Amino acid sequence: LVDDIQAGDESAPTGTSEADAGNTLIRILVVDDEPINQQVLSNHLSLAHYEVVQAADGRRALELLQQGERFDLILLDVMMPMLSGYEVCREIRKSHLATQLPVVMVTAKSQPADLETGLAAGANDYLTKPVSKQELLARIKTHLNLLQINEAFGHFVPHEYVRTLHGQSILDVRLGDNAEIEGAIMVTDIRGFTRLSESMTPQENFDFINSYFGLVGPPIREHEGFISRYTGDSVMAVFTGGSTNALNAARATISSLDRLNARRRAKGREEIRIGIGLHRGRMRLGIVGEHQRRQGDIFADTVNVASRIEGLTKTYGATMIVSDDLLADLSPAERDRIGPLVRPLGKVQLRGRSAPVSIFEAYEFDPAALREHKARTRRDYEDAYMLYLRGDLRQAEARLRPICQANDADCAAQRFLERIEASSRSHRA
């Protein structure tokens, strides 16, 4: 698996972060409306082998960030037209913590009140004009070192925890801090991992699972989610921006896996299969543990339901199962898109939950032949489902049996037929 991922996936983990990769320069954004100041700062930074990007005003700086440009540090002039450096910094802090993106103010003002205003706006530090080259480079080096330390902490406690708990750094977060959030949960799990792992050494198992996580992680982040926990070969991700993001992350994950499996088939290797469960609801995010050992975690009925929905993908032979709560939260365009590609699996009573959950199979991720079969028989399947709900078991069975006979790989229809047959036997008894 490690070789297959690294041979064909540009996002494969390499063991180094973007900031310290040998072929990646540190990127610094210089924001100043004076061309001479821009040039002086850029010259100092370029000679120190930093990559420099220039913005002539605050609006352009914010545009670059909104477009997804990545910077390791920002040098920000205070006095600029339209938007002052203070205003720009406040906007930056709405999306980037001080520990994620250092901002160093550059100003001719050095009164204590000016410094306090800048720090209150979210600046990490101050430089006074005219800027000394030695001081500039020394302060930048210090903040970049702190950035790497904070990035290391972020690998263990996601920045989303810090932001949700209203902190600017991990130092602001205390044991027991928690907050209520609403969002979608995605749980993924490798099919037959125990059997796969039995054929591998402990080191091969370790490499296997880390390479797989390296495949799953990028689509989650690209769709504004974050990984809450790893449990064995299972991944749980949270999406507070909307259920459509979670669904698109699932699609991107399966697409990445499809490319991986194409390479494995070419080498005569067994394909890797996963199951995905998607649910939505309210949850409690916070820091748990004790004095010497703590971690971020999420607790809620929503989490338990998502995990158990994913577990049902094995029962129904489905790649992905979603709840009615998640479908209801999709954007109108997304509901129109996925609507013809889902089938009801019924209401299931999950352990630990008083109310049943309505679940649906999303068959757009099935192999082509099986997907075409389900699309072709979807109307009859739904008719059988409605007949079953009305208690007309004989007619429901008559509609469903030809579907099962047409394709014995349709596990959901097979399970549905078994349920109808069991109900019929119970009624006859």
Side-chain angles (χ1 to χ4, degrees):
L1 179 65
V2 179
D3 292 343
D4 291 335
I5 290 178
Q6 292 183 346
D9 194 333
E10 293 179 358
S11 64
T14 61
T16 58
S17 68
E18 288 184 3
D20 62 10
N23 59 355
T24 303
L25 292 174
I26 298 295
R27 301 188 81 218
I28 296 179
L29 175 63
V30 178
V31 188
D32 199 311
D33 62 315
E34 291 289 342
I36 294 177
N37 292 339
Q38 280 271 17
Q39 194 59 52
V40 169
L41 292 172
S42 297
N43 287 344
H44 291 334
L45 297 171
S46 298
L47 289 172
H49 307 294
Y50 294 118
E51 179 181 345
V52 180
V53 177
Q54 298 183 6
D57 55 58
R59 289 183 179 176
R60 178 54 183 160
L62 294 176
E63 285 175 2
L64 290 171
L65 290 171
Q66 290 165 0
Q67 291 166 6
E69 290 281 348
R70 181 194 65 82
F71 301 105
D72 298 287
L73 184 141
I74 296 178
L75 289 175
L76 180 61
D77 186 32
V78 171
M79 301 303 294
M80 294 185 295
M82 296 183 289
L83 288 177
S84 71
Y86 302 136
E87 293 171 302
V88 174
C89 194
R90 291 189 193 99
E91 286 299 313
I92 292 172
R93 289 294 169 248
K94 291 179 181 179
S95 56
H96 296 77
L97 296 173
T99 53
Q100 288 179 293
L101 181 57
V103 174
V104 177
M105 293 285 197
V106 182
T107 180
K109 297 182 177 182
S110 58
Q111 295 300 313
D114 300 315
L115 303 181
E116 290 174 10
T117 301
L119 295 174
N124 298 69
D125 204 351
Y126 245 93
L127 280 170
T128 304
K129 297 178 181 178
V131 176
S132 159
K133 176 183 176 181
Q134 288 73 22
E135 183 181 7
L136 169 70
L137 297 180
R139 294 203 181 209
I140 286 177
K141 184 177 181 180
T142 297
H143 287 293
L144 292 175
N145 286 338
L146 290 172
L147 176 64
Q148 290 184 334
I149 292 171
N150 286 315
E151 283 180 344
F153 275 114
H155 295 159
F156 296 93
V157 178
H159 292 299
E160 288 79 5
Y161 279 82
V162 178
R163 185 179 293 111
T164 301
L165 297 174
H166 307 294
Q168 281 295 317
S169 79
I170 192 66
L171 298 175
D172 299 325
V173 177
R174 299 288 182 266
L175 179 64
D177 285 354
N178 65 91
E180 186 174 87
I181 61 173
E182 183 167 354
I185 296 277
M186 180 177 85
V187 179
T188 71
D189 187 60
I190 300 176
R191 291 284 165 267
F193 178 69
T194 301
R195 178 181 51 78
L196 286 169
S197 65
E198 287 174 349
S199 64
M200 295 184 285
T201 66
Q203 183 63 54
E204 288 170 339
N205 263 295
F206 201 80
D207 294 340
F208 177 100
I209 203 65
N210 276 327
S211 294
Y212 169 71
F213 289 157
L215 183 96
V216 173
I220 292 170
R221 290 189 293 275
E222 288 165 10
H223 293 89
E224 301 179 13
F226 66 93
I227 295 172
S228 173
R229 71 174 70 144
Y230 300 106
T231 307
D233 60 310
S234 175
V235 178
M236 187 179 83
V238 179
F239 300 82
T240 58
S243 296
T244 299
N245 287 346
L247 182 58
N248 286 331
R251 287 189 176 115
T253 298
I254 293 171
S255 294
S256 295
L257 193 64
D258 286 344
R259 292 192 294 272
L260 167 65
N261 282 328
R263 296 191 291 276
R264 291 180 67 83
R265 284 194 301 270
K267 297 176 181 179
R269 297 176 179 174
E270 180 181 356
E271 294 185 12
I272 306 299
R273 295 296 178 193
I274 64 173
I276 296 178
L278 290 177
H279 183 49
R280 179 178 179 82
R282 302 197 71 79
M283 56 203 112
R284 206 80 191 174
L285 173 151
I287 306 299
V288 300
E290 46 85 31
H291 179 65
Q292 292 296 329
R293 175 70 172 89
R294 60 195 71 176
Q295 67 183 37
D297 210 340
I298 291 179
F299 295 91
D301 179 60
T302 303
V303 174
N304 298 330
V305 171
S307 296
R308 288 170 178 159
I309 287 176
E310 185 282 317
L312 289 172
T313 61
K314 305 180 186 75
T315 302
Y316 291 101
T319 300
M320 189 167 81
I321 294 178
V322 303
S323 70
D324 56 344
D325 291 317
L326 182 121
L327 290 176
D329 185 61
L330 295 174
S331 66
E334 191 54 60
R335 280 199 298 272
D336 291 342
R337 177 183 176 186
I338 197 175
L341 298 170
V342 298
R343 298 190 306 182
L345 297 176
K347 292 186 177 182
V348 296
Q349 187 68 53
L350 301 172
R351 284 199 314 268
R353 182 182 171 95
S354 57
V357 179
S358 294
I359 58 174
F360 297 79
E361 174 192 27
Y363 61 81
E364 68 172 283
F365 308 104
D366 286 352
L370 184 57
R371 184 172 65 248
E372 291 169 5
H373 156 79
K374 292 179 179 179
R376 186 172 59 253
T377 60
R378 177 171 172 264
R379 183 63 60 85
D380 286 338
Y381 178 97
E382 291 181 343
D383 288 347
Y385 180 71
M386 296 305 298
L387 289 165
Y388 171 75
L389 292 180
R390 291 201 294 264
D392 192 341
L393 301 180
R394 187 176 63 82
Q395 286 296 325
E397 181 178 348
R399 290 293 182 93
L400 196 59
R401 190 171 295 281
I403 297 174
C404 296
Q405 293 171 342
N407 193 322
D408 58 9
D410 189 345
C411 295
Q414 299 285 351
R415 298 292 177 271
F416 189 13
L417 181 59
E418 291 169 5
R419 194 189 316 166
I420 292 173
E421 291 172 340
S423 296
S424 296
R425 288 193 298 269
S426 177
H427 285 182
R428 287 195 297 269

